[in-house]
């Protein structure tokens, strides 16, 4: 129905149940468009244009809607009890079903060029081992609570990113690592 469709995002027990779009030449095309490309304030979740489905790290963006649609319920992950009730994200592609275990939930903001800080959005696509470890370390330190899950280099990372209203240009990030079909974590073997 739409060649920009890349997968389906679902979090059991929540309203999170949406198509995900991908337009790498115009990454934010769906920020204010529905699945058919019509204008809408809620938009449609979309994947960062600097990644592919096989990248080490993927970011999916969606609006934090007040009516709990799109990524409007992600802010509930700031409480550990909510994570305990909803610890897994499903992101099915056209070729396979994928599950991701949430390992960190943190709030931050978009940093100005002159500001120092953890720019999670800079850790997308393929990462060196040092970049991967830095991202995991920073995410776990910033997390609202300890999940006991620490990704290892070779795991694929999925981030869900939405606006947060705790500060100007605030962001809330839910970070997860991919599981194998047998329930364990998938390891990616490379010669990097």
């Amino acid at each position: 129905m739409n060649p920009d469709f890349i997968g389906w995002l679902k979090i059991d027990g929540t309203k999170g149940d949406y198509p995900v779009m991908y337009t790498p030449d115009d990454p934010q095309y769906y920020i204010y468009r529905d699945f058919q490309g019509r204008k809408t304030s809620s938009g449609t979740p979309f994947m960062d244009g600097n990644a592919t489905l096989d990248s080490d790290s993927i970011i999916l963006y969606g609006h934090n809607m007040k009516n709990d649609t799109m990524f409007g319920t992600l802010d509930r992950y700031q409480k550990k009890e909510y994570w305990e009730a909803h610890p897994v994200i499903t992101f099915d592609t056209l070729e396979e079903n994928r599950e991701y275990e949430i390992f960190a939930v943190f709030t931050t903001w978009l940093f100005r060029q002159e500001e120092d800080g953890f720019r999670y959005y800079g850790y997308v696509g393929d990462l060196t081992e040092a970049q991967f470890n830095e991202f995991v370390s920073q995410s776990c330190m910033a997390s609202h609570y300890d999940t006991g899950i620490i990704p290892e280099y070779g795991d694929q990372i999925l981030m869900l990113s939405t606006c947060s209203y705790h500060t100007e240009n605030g962001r809330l990030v839910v970070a997860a690592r991919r599981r194998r079909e047998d329930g364990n974590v998938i390891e990616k073997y490379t010669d990097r």
Side-chain angles (χ1 to χ4, degrees), residues 15-192:
K15 288 187 177 184
D17 193 3
Y18 296 104
V20 176
M21 312 308 281
Y22 182 58
T23 52
D25 294 331
D26 186 5
Q28 295 190 12
Y29 180 80
Y30 285 93
I31 195 166
Y32 294 115
R33 287 185 172 89
D34 66 13
F35 182 83
Q36 287 82 22
R38 298 176 301 221
K39 295 281 186 181
T40 177
S41 60
S42 60
T44 306
F46 60 94
M47 190 167 92
D48 191 292
N50 294 311
T52 69
L53 290 172
D54 295 322
S55 292
D56 297 330
S57 178
I58 298 168
I59 303 178
L60 305 183
Y61 296 99
H63 287 296
N64 186 350
M65 302 299 291
K66 290 182 182 177
N67 64 2
D68 288 346
T69 59
M70 299 304 149
F71 285 3
T73 58
L74 289 186
D75 54 356
R76 295 178 187 167
Y77 274 107
Q78 293 179 78
K79 295 188 184 286
K80 189 172 187 178
E81 297 76 24
Y82 193 79
W83 163 73
E84 290 171 338
H86 312 284
V88 176
I89 298 167
T90 301
F91 181 40
D92 296 336
T93 70
L94 297 173
E95 286 82 35
E96 62 186 338
N97 299 329
R98 299 179 176 189
E99 287 189 342
Y100 296 81
E101 302 175 297
I102 297 168
F103 70 88
V105 177
F106 57 91
T107 48
T108 185
W109 60 90
L110 299 178
F111 290 90
R112 293 185 181 91
Q113 189 170 357
E114 67 277 4
E115 286 183 292
D116 289 331
F118 172 43
R119 290 173 168 83
Y120 72 94
Y121 41 86
Y123 295 87
V124 64
D126 288 330
L127 307 177
T128 66
E129 186 170 3
Q131 290 170 325
F132 183 93
N133 291 336
E134 183 177 38
F135 170 78
V136 170
S137 175
Q138 292 289 328
S139 296
C140 290
M141 281 193 303
S143 187
H144 289 287
Y145 45 83
D146 182 3
T147 64
I149 299 169
I150 301 176
E152 296 178 4
Y153 185 62
D155 296 342
Q156 186 184 55
I157 300 296
L158 174 70
M159 290 179 266
L160 306 183
S161 176
T162 193
C163 290
S164 176
Y165 304 106
H166 69 284
T167 189
E168 183 180 354
N169 292 316
R171 295 294 182 270
L172 171 79
V173 180
V174 176
R177 69 174 179 183
R178 187 172 172 195
R179 284 186 184 170
R180 290 186 187 151
E181 289 182 18
D182 63 7
N184 295 317
V185 177
I186 289 187
E187 293 184 21
K188 183 176 175 183
Y189 298 98
T190 64
D191 294 327
R192 280 190 253 153

